[in-house]
Amino acid sequence: MFRRSFNRFCAGEEKRVGTRTVFVGNHPVSETEAYIAQKFCDNRIISSKYTLWNFLPKNLFEQFRRIANFYFLIIFLIQVTVDTPTSPITSGLPLFFVITVTAIKQGYEDWLRHRADNEVNKSTVYIIENAKRVKKESEKIKVGDIVEVQADETFPCDLILLSSCTVDGTCYVTTASLDGESNCKTHYAVRDTIELRTVESIDNLRAAIECEQPQSDLYKFVGRINIYSNSLEAVARSLGPENLLLKGATLKNTKKIYGVAVYTGMETKMALNYQGKSQKRSAVEKSINAFLIVYLFILLTKAAICTTLKYVWQSTPYNDEPWYNQKTQKERETWKVLKMFTDFLSFMVLFNFIIPVSMYVTVEMQKFLGSFFISWDNDFYDEEINEGALVNTSDLNEELGQVDYVFTDKTGTLTENSMEFIECCIDGHKYKGVAQETDGLSQTDGPLPYLDRADKNREELFLRALCLCHTVEVKPNDTVDGVTESSELTYMSSSPDEIALVKGAKKYGFTFVGVQNGYMRVENQRKEIEEYELLHTLNFDSVRRRMSVIVKTQSGDILLFCKGADSAVFPRVQNHEIDLIKVHVEHNAMEGYRTLCIAFKEIAPDDYERVNRQLIEAKMALQDREEKMEKVFDEIETDMHLIGATAVEDKLQDQAAETIEALHAAGLKVWVLTGDKMETAKSTCYACRLFQTNTELLELTTKTIEESERKEDRLHELLTEYRKKLLREFPKSTRSLKKAWTEHQEYGLIIDGSTLSLILNSSQDSGSNNYRSIFLQICMKCTAVLCCRMAPLQKAQIVRMVKNLKGSPITLSIGDGANDVSMILESHVGIGIKGKEGRQASRNSDYAVPKFKHLKKLLLAHGHLYYVRIAHLVQYFFYKPLYDAAYLTMYNICFTSLPILAYSLLEQHINIDTLTSDPRLYMKISGNAMLQLGPFLYWTFLAAFEGTVFFFGTYFLFQTTSLDENGKVYGNWTFGTIIFTILVFTVTLKLALDTRFWTWINHLVIWGSLAFYVFFSFFWGGIIWPFLKQQRMYFIFAQMLSSVSIWLTIILLIFVSLSPEMLRIVLRSVRRRKSES
Amino acid sequence: MTWSATARGAHQPDNTAFTQQRLPAWHPLLSASIALPLFFCAGLAFIGLGLGLYYSSNGIKELAYDYTGDPGTGNCSVCATAGQGRAPPPPCSCAWYFSLPELFQGPVYLYYELTNFYQNNRRYGVSRDDSQLSGLPSSLRHPVNECAPYQYSAAGLPIAPCGAIANSLFNDSFSLWHQRQPNGPYVEVPLDRTGIAWWTDYHVKFRNPPLVNGSLALAFRGTAPPPNWHRPVYELSPDPNNTGFINQDFVVWMRTAALPTFRKLYARIRQGNYSAGLPRGAYRVNITYNYPVRAFSGHKRLIFSSISWMGGKNPFLGIAYLLVGSLCIFVGFVMLVVYIRYQDQNEDEEDDE
């Protein structure tokens, strides 16, 4: 099938690295051969980072890798060792606090992962041991164990299918959680083991499997099984991917199977496709780090200058050691250079408050608390699964406001993964909507001009065709709960399309009842059962893109029904019939429906004899069975009569199209990465308006490339051609791209997995890098990119590729299945959909929402707000500009942190509704706009200005005998307290100026913190604290407030330092009013 | 976090205003129509205040005299050269003569000023033991390490009060003499040396150690005075309420100054005939010149100053208020112009439309 060609394509990509030999059931195959137990890893899945023992050192190590933490650690150590003006507690305590809080948080998160792992590892499985069924925990499975799996269970490890309960040794498997394909796939057992259907017989099997070492490609497996029957001669059979059952896939429609474990635990293909979870850092944090480095530089310069100045000042002996302030003996004896160095360090410590340790605490708190708002949001609540959003990482809230690229999975993310029959057209007559039972084929809504009905016979023929030409199986309703519920019958099929068609036919009165003894039974509109003998079937495959059945009616006519894609069917029908239907098909394709054409042919009995013979012959063939059958069918499928066409909608998720449009309008680039077929993916893309009707599609697929001899040449050709085309269109740099989109022709790119691997992996050639860069250039100029047939790791590869682009754009991945996990982990922000395909995605994601549409609000509203909030928060902290130890500590933590915390949690500078409805606002903050140099400089200069005002204001105030009416003088602690008071008030009031969203919490916190400051100062100065060495703050504050002059100074200076900000706000409001009118 | 989902289980999130971020909120907009009147009002208020401050500052009289004794500046130069480079310098006395043509409005305060003296030096500033000064006997015997090198005397006795600040206590003393009639006798003007320290410092923060047998001297037995002191701490004053650690000069000195040029209150003149101020006439200040400042090129000054509601003479505050006030009004006008300009433009545009 398609996969085969894909595999053929990929073969040789990766070299085989050795082989492993697995003894089935861990029985030695023969006494003569020595049994060498190979060491394989056990079947435990570990996604957690820490264990109980390594948690502390590992976590500490990771935390101190953060520049800031490391810096504060150094400062703390300096303070402990060197004689410094401030006590080590001032920096040690907050640091300790930060580290502890983070460690607890990460520990808790890891504990959750442990629990999730345990859930998987401790699940029960049945292993055949000594001819007995033994119940075991999943993690105990060893390579070579024979495992029994029941229907609807997931495979606990990678198994080689030995036998199933069916006669032909097949089983059906859905790999939805691996690659997103929800249809059932058939896997085969090796012929020699098919019969071993009981516990005893399977235990007697003596066989050895040789297979390659574990590798991550899901669609590739090479192995050989040597079966030793009683005669010692071994029978060797080759094993391919069709024999391998992957961990994570689910057994469907088959009662039970026996398989032998070949890859276990972390060596399974699923685990290999799973990427380790690394700590993600947001762009804001990178900005913070950048600022931090700037400030660190300032700090070092400052300390250096101060040290120099100190020694210049001290060069006059009476300054160095005046008689009133002599040095100790020890101080005199200290080596000069060492002294200078410690002086430098203590200056650094003194000024280290320009880098606020508490900022990290506050940022952490803000993120942590802020993430609650996401999980609390009622708009993210989905009634179907009865859950709201889930936040796994709180570090990335603001990153949601910074996304440039969105990578989305298709199945289950964009679409609901359920098909619905929308309309059909018979001989050019369109039928749509729900038909009334009595009327049979009545239509419909919509005043279409040609709503007259086709000939009754044709109608019935068409519906019979729908009922017959499929591979649907019927199951009594009681077994499976409501997957495809109907009144009495449950249809099961490898393709949801077929179910949709059969159900569609049912709506019009023709019910497929089931297959009995080789007869297909159809209940017609008159409730009569018609029986058709099913003679031959050729399944749908994506190369032929059609399927056919040959049936014999009760009256003995032999009919061939064929359904398939228009491109496959049209050439094989009589020409005059095409036109009418073609209009419909094209129209439907525009709408994003999947269309299939139905054709039939009557086969004369003589012809049938011949065909039958050929087909039987082909079926008997040992090799290339399918190819031979295809050939026979190809011969018959000519000159058919086209009856009609159907349109099936792969139902999009609610508002998926609107969301995509909004994301586009917000300047995001949306890429769809799917494991699905190209055609399906393409139609979905049209449906969700990722591709507009006028979008010009550039295809880089196996289809376009395989036509030529040398694939790479052709690829090269295509690449250059596309690039030329695009460059012509957008001669300017990518900067103007957003603008250009609206004016120019839009381009969409379609690429599939095999081509992608060709581009990315053809590294042997000199031109490989070239391909890559050309490809990237093309990608960047396309509004939308669709990647289909992607293996999970390839998805991650793409994300990584984009991530490493120039300017390192922020990427967001959204997906629902296990196949999206690697992509989710790779991108900056990973979002999981709590869909039907299990929970791996949401477990590994940073955020999980129930539906795709929630992405819109998540990005546009929450992301925007969080970004603005955190940007402000960070700037504010760097703005906050020395003094008593307690005050210093309290300053950052208590007096000024709470208001900004409240601000950063509650601020909504623009209404949420406005944000959701106007995606263009998102563009304004993209590219980390608020944390660039400009605003940063503004805040820094503002801080410098205010610092100057504070100091010199107070300095000039002190140029007097006394500040009090009783003539007493004030000391240096008063001086400091004045400055500090002004500082606290200014900083808090400035925040009040910037707050545009005053809830009662803001009021409480802002005024409360000022009140608290005053209260604290009284309290701190009002008591002789027995544990303090120096009572220097005693009564300073109260004494200070008794002076009128100081009051006046404080008011004046606060006003002066706030006025620039006030001016700025007023000017902005004037300007805004202008722009509004 | 995750537990928000697990703890709530499969429940719908609370639909409260807080969780949905829909708390009622006030959206203040600092628009021009609010800010302009604000600026004008603030400007006017500031100018008014500034004028008041300026005039009251100007009403304050100050009389200062530099008695450092730079060569040729008066009779203190003899003392200055005599004490050069020696610590402790030999006692020396000199005098400052001045006359007041009119009444120096009281109450009058006498300050001394030191320049280039870094009381705010960190090493200096921490060199004290507050618990010793609060009268704790254990601290009296064991001063804190910050006091080094003035922690223990050469003989190994603990220094009380320890530390560089105490050791460098200002020890010049002054007495004021008034000559009512020309060539008449000089009468000593009573200087009130109490009530010059903060009430809290004097009554709470600084305490003498508990008396031993009713004697302060015994309480201090086993300690040494700071090396620069001529007499032990319990002999600073004969007044038992003003000696030891609660000597007011000492307490004032221990409140370290913020800037290298600083003034400290020496005495208040408020008794007898001088409660209304210093009457006209000739005056003499007798100075006991002990304190060496030439070593660090500092200066010593003596200042008589009156005090108003806003404290001592300081034109800065008044000028600053005037300046800021006028700036406010200026900025207000500029904004008004900008505002009107925009308004006009808007109207024009509306007309065009």
Side-chain angles (χ1 to χ4, degrees), chain A residues 108 318 323-324 326 331 373 376 378 386 869 908 957 960-962 967 969 971-972 998 1031 1045 1048 1074, chain B residues 3 8 10 18 20-21 26 111 118 123 130 150 198 205 256 263 292 295 297 310 312-314 321 342:
Chain A
Y108 174 74
Y318 59 78
W323 61 264
Y324 58 80
Q326 276 165 5
E331 279 171 328
F373 281 115
W376 280 339
N378 236 335
N386 199 17
R869 288 168 185 174
Q908 291 176 24
L957 179 74
T960 180
T961 44
S962 169
V969 287
N972 58 338
W998 283 86
Q1031 305 293 342
S1045 304
L1048 290 174
K1074 193 207 167 198
Chain B
W3 48 267
R8 281 167 190 287
F18 176 67
Q20 299 309 310
Q21 307 196 43
W26 171 52
Y111 294 91
Y118 288 84
R123 212 155 37 78
D130 275 342
Y150 308 107
W198 289 17
K205 196 172 168 183
T256 52
R263 294 174 179 184
S297 55
M310 56 163 283
K313 192 181 181 74
N314 189 9
Y321 261 98
Y342 270 118

Side-chain angles (χ1 to χ4, degrees), chain B residues 323-345:
Chain B
L323 198 72
V324 173
S326 28
L327 259 179
C328 266
I329 289 180
F330 174 71
V331 169
F333 271 116
V334 170
M335 284 206 307
L336 193 65
V337 171
V338 171
Y339 185 62
I340 291 171
R341 181 78 52 79
Y342 270 118
Q343 214 77 327
D344 286 350
Q345 275 182 3

Side-chain angles (χ1 to χ4, degrees), chain A residues 83-85 108-109 112 115 313 318-320 322-328 331 368 371-373 375-379 381 386-387 390-392 394 862 865-866 869 905-906 908 912-913 953 955-975 993 995-1001 1003 1024 1029-1032 1034-1036 1039 1044-1045 1048-1049 1051-1052 1055-1056 1062-1063 1065-1067 1069-1074 1077, chain B residues 1-5 8 10-15 18-32 35 38-39 42 46 49 53 62 109 111 116-118 120-126 128 130-131 144 146 148-150 164 168 195-200 204-205 228 255-259 263-265 291-292 295-297 303 305 307-314 316-317 320-321 324 328 331 335 338-339 342-343 345-346 349-350:
Chain A
D83 164 51
T84 58
Y108 174 74
E109 282 170 2
L112 285 184
R115 222 174 45 172
W313 184 75
Y318 59 78
N319 275 336
D320 182 28
W323 61 264
Y324 58 80
N325 189 16
Q326 276 165 5
K327 294 177 183 173
T328 54
E331 279 171 328
F368 180 76
S371 60
F372 280 111
F373 281 115
S375 47
W376 280 339
D377 197 320
N378 236 335
D379 290 351
Y381 176 71
N386 199 17
E387 268 178 49
L390 176 75
V391 180
N392 289 330
S394 49
H862 285 283
L865 286 181
Y866 283 122
R869 288 168 185 174
L905 285 174
L906 299 170
Q908 291 176 24
I912 286 189
D913 297 329
Y955 177 80
F956 285 121
L957 179 74
F958 265 68
Q959 304 293 323
T960 180
T961 44
S962 169
L963 291 167
D964 218 345
E965 54 193 331
N966 62 14
K968 290 172 187 170
V969 287
Y970 291 90
N972 58 338
W973 298 113
T974 313
F975 188 83
L993 274 181
T995 308
R996 266 168 285 168
F997 195 79
W998 283 86
T999 61
W1000 60 268
I1001 298 177
H1003 281 291
I1024 299 265
K1029 258 195 220 158
Q1030 303 213 341
Q1031 305 293 342
R1032 47 200 188 187
Y1034 185 65
F1035 243 76
I1036 296 268
Q1039 195 63 252
V1044 186
S1045 304
L1048 290 174
T1049 317
I1051 294 170
L1052 179 79
F1055 184 81
V1056 168
M1062 255 151 62
L1063 270 180
I1065 291 175
V1066 170
L1067 282 180
S1069 82
V1070 168
R1071 211 178 304 142
R1072 186 180 316 129
R1073 179 167 319 167
K1074 193 207 167 198
S1077 63
Chain B
M1 297 313 305
T2 324
W3 48 267
S4 67
R8 281 167 190 287
H11 296 305
Q12 187 165 1
D14 286 345
N15 191 6
F18 176 67
T19 54
Q20 299 309 310
Q21 307 196 43
R22 297 205 187 281
L23 279 179
W26 171 52
H27 297 264
L29 249 185
L30 201 59
S31 66
L38 187 90
F39 264 80
F46 281 6
L49 257 177
L53 284 169
E62 266 189 21
Y109 294 78
Y111 294 91
N116 214 13
F117 190 106
Y118 288 84
N120 57 0
N121 183 294
R122 190 177 67 79
R123 212 155 37 78
Y124 180 83
V126 298
R128 61 193 286 169
D130 275 342
S131 52
V144 292
E146 275 85 355
Y150 308 107
S168 58
I196 53 174
W198 289 17
W199 190 91
T200 48
V204 185
K205 196 172 168 183
N228 284 0
R255 182 153 289 283
T256 52
L259 303 169
R263 294 174 179 184
K264 285 194 184 291
L265 188 57
Y291 207 69
F296 52 88
S297 55
I303 295 133
S305 170
I307 291 291
S308 74
W309 58 275
M310 56 163 283
K313 192 181 181 74
N314 189 9
F316 159 74
L317 208 53
Y321 261 98
V324 173
C328 266
V331 169
M335 284 206 307
V338 171
Y339 185 62
Y342 270 118
Q343 214 77 327
Q345 275 182 3
N346 291 346
E349 281 160 21
E350 279 158 23

